[in-house]
């Protein structure tokens, strides 16, 4: 089998058998297509460890981040492991392929005071009843109040939200479904949007959509529009040039732990497969505590 054909077959396996997210499959496909530029016309069985090392070295020369190198190495290992399982090659050349360890960076997190100010500003903007403002306020309250991913938010249908119970049923990574709670401010914002905002947006569409959040043309809102919204309103509060919806997820998790929430409960809310992924937020809380101590204690 040719390399390009094997990549497409592998991507199909990731999507249909392993049921990975569209974004993950797209990232694997992109990395392996980049590898295709290095292997060129080499048959699969002729690709060796040195070829793979040369591929990573070229990425290093381009200035790719260590996280990118680690991701590409992981993509290659997963691909060649699958290719060997399928019997296309006798030996896996990626077994000894290593990449620099990812540098651990703490996520961008807004303070509780900053979030209070931001959301109050959005509430006041929505009080005029403009459909887009009502929607934007509800989106921000739900991203922060439930700690959900932007893909999960955009995938919500009206029936997925129970305002009486204050819960949302979301479809996470690997098509895993979970129910997440949210508080009174998010419930009020979503309720106001459903009553006064969504009907006006839905009237702009050619055909009705079941989506909870609608774009300006009446169709299901997309991640790019949500990213633009969050970047515009959140960046001034966190002092970062590039910030997106995931920063609100980071912020929600950190504030939960700051308030005394159990780590495993936070893991369930966020939908993390591994507790280790959730533990990064304990480091954020510790960093914030240390910074406060150094500013306030006379013997710091």
């Amino acid at each position: 089998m040719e390399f390009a054909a094997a990549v497409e077959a592998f991507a199909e396996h990731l999507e249909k058998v392993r049921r990975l997210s569209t974004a993950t499959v797209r990232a694997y496909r992109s990395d392996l297509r980049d590898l295709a530029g290095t292997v060129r016309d080499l048959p699969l069985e002729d690709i060796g460890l040195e070829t793979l090392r040369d591929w990573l070295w070229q990425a290093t020369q381009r200035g790719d981040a260590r996280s990118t190198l680690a991701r590409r190495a992981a993509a290659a290992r997963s691909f060649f492991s699958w290719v060997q399982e399928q019997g296309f090659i006798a030996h896996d050349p990626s077994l000894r392929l290593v990449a620099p360890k990812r540098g651990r960076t703490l996520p961008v997190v807004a303070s509780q005071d900053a979030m209070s100010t931001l959301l109050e500003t959005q509430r006041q903007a929505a009080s005029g009843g403009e459909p887009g403002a009502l929607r934007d306020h509800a989106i921000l309250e739900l991203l922060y109040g439930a700690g959900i991913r932007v893909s999960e938010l955009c995938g919500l249908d009206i029936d997925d939200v129970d305002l009486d119970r204050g819960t949302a049923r979301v479809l996470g990574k690997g098509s895993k479904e979970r129910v997440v709670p949210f508080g009174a401010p998010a419930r009020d914002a979503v309720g106001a949007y459903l009553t006064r905002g969504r009907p006006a947006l839905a009237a702009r569409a050619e055909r009705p959509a079941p989506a909870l959040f609608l774009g300006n043309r009446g169709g299901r809102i997309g991640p790019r529009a949500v990213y633009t919204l969050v970047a515009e309103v959140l960046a001034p509060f966190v002092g970062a040039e590039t910030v997106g919806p995931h920063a609100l997820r980071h912020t929600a998790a950190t504030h939960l732990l700051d308030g005394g929430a159990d780590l495993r409960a936070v893991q369930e809310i966020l939908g993390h497969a591994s507790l280790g992924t959730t533990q990064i937020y304990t480091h954020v809380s510790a960093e914030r505590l240390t910074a406060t101590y150094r500013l306030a204690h006379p013997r710091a």
Side-chain angles (χ1 to χ4, degrees):
M1 178 179 284
E2 294 182 353
F3 186 86
V7 168
E8 293 307 312
F10 176 62
E12 184 176 0
H13 166 77
L14 295 179
E15 184 176 8
K16 296 183 178 179
V17 179
R18 293 181 56 183
R19 298 176 65 85
L20 299 185
S21 70
T22 301
T24 301
V25 175
R26 185 167 57 245
Y28 272 86
R29 183 184 277 116
S30 174
D31 288 337
L32 293 171
R33 284 177 175 173
D34 185 79
L35 174 58
T38 298
V39 301
R40 298 186 182 277
D41 297 328
L42 277 177
L44 276 172
E45 60 270 18
D46 291 344
I47 299 174
L49 178 60
E50 290 306 314
T51 302
L52 299 180
R53 285 174 172 170
D54 183 58
W55 171 55
L56 290 183
W57 179 83
Q58 291 176 30
T60 302
Q61 296 299 107
R62 288 198 304 264
D64 287 4
R66 293 201 303 178
S67 58
T68 301
L69 296 175
R71 189 197 69 216
R72 290 192 165 178
R77 286 193 293 268
S78 182
F79 170 70
F80 282 103
S81 175
W82 177 82
V83 168
Q84 185 183 35
E85 289 176 1
Q86 301 306 304
F88 298 136
I89 57 175
H91 303 288
D92 182 351
S94 68
L95 289 176
R96 292 191 293 126
L97 182 67
V98 296
K101 292 184 178 180
R102 296 173 184 262
R104 168 160 282 192
T105 56
L106 296 179
V108 173
V109 171
S111 69
Q112 294 186 32
D113 288 342
M115 288 306 306
S116 295
T117 301
L118 183 156
L119 293 171
E120 176 59 21
T121 301
Q122 294 299 310
R123 187 193 68 79
Q124 292 177 8
S127 63
E130 198 277 318
L134 286 163
R135 176 201 60 207
D136 293 350
H137 179 219
I139 285 175
L140 293 166
E141 287 281 9
L142 198 55
L143 283 173
Y144 174 59
I148 57 179
R149 302 176 177 93
V150 64
S151 59
E152 295 168 347
L153 176 121
C154 294
L156 284 172
D157 289 339
I158 295 177
D159 294 341
D160 292 328
V161 175
D162 187 332
L163 292 181
D164 293 331
R165 295 185 178 182
T167 60
R169 183 176 65 248
V170 300
L171 194 64
K173 289 186 176 181
S175 298
K176 293 180 180 178
E177 187 178 279
R178 71 184 190 282
V179 175
V180 294
F182 53 85
R187 184 174 65 243
D188 293 343
V190 173
Y193 160 70
L194 285 172
T195 303
R196 297 186 287 139
R198 190 183 183 282
L201 293 173
R204 303 173 185 176
E206 295 181 0
R207 62 182 65 181
L212 174 62
F213 291 112
L214 302 178
N216 293 333
R217 296 183 179 179
R220 184 183 297 274
I221 199 167
R224 186 182 298 274
V226 178
Y227 189 102
T228 300
L229 166 66
V230 175
E232 180 180 337
V233 302
L234 186 59
F237 289 94
V238 297
E241 293 183 2
T242 56
V243 63
H246 223 66
L248 291 179
R249 180 169 158 88
H250 295 321
T251 299
T254 302
H255 291 175
L256 279 168
L257 291 172
D258 286 347
D262 177 75
L263 188 63
R264 287 203 175 273
V266 176
Q267 178 191 6
E268 290 292 326
I269 291 171
L270 297 180
H272 285 159
S274 167
L275 187 63
T277 307
T278 316
Q279 285 177 327
I280 183 63
Y281 300 111
T282 63
H283 296 291
V284 176
S285 294
E287 288 276 330
R288 288 154 60 91
L289 184 62
T290 300
T292 301
Y293 171 81
R294 289 174 175 167
L295 286 173
H297 200 287
R299 305 287 286 183

